[in-house]
Amino acid sequence: MQRNRMKRRLREAVRLTMPADAPGADVVINPKKGLLIADFDLVVNEVRQVFVVIQKKLRKSQDPSAAVERTETGRQ
């Protein structure tokens, strides 16, 4: 019962916050039991922040100038 409630809360938080222009990427969220008692607005805010970070990282990895910079510095 608790596991199902956590899944429902997370699923709704993702539904409310997933960007419309979200690129195809798999996201895995491992919830803690604290999710059961956390204020739902806090859960939504945390999930929203995760999507912001993911989008920034994806944009950075797709930026051609960033790839050139990594190659020039010897990092890949």
Side-chain angles (χ1 to χ4, degrees):
M1 186 163 117
Q2 289 180 347
R3 184 172 167 256
N4 286 338
R5 183 165 185 252
M6 288 191 327
K7 284 173 38 176
R8 285 193 308 271
R9 292 187 94 199
L10 268 178
R11 190 176 292 131
E12 182 64 8
V14 168
R15 187 188 71 77
L16 291 172
T17 59
M18 183 175 285
D21 63 341
D26 292 335
V27 177
V28 177
I29 300 174
N30 293 317
K32 306 292 184 207
K33 287 187 179 186
L35 177 66
L36 292 169
I37 59 172
D39 183 52
F40 187 68
D41 289 335
L42 176 65
V43 174
V44 169
N45 190 41
E46 290 290 325
V47 172
R48 181 178 291 118
Q49 290 301 319
V50 168
F51 281 123
V52 168
V53 170
I54 290 169
Q55 282 190 305
K56 283 182 183 178
K57 288 187 178 196
L58 285 173
R59 275 191 226 115
K60 188 174 181 179
S61 70
Q62 294 170 351
D63 182 14
S65 64
V68 170
E69 183 178 317
R70 284 192 303 268
T71 304
E72 289 174 356
T73 60
R75 293 184 182 173
Q76 293 191 16

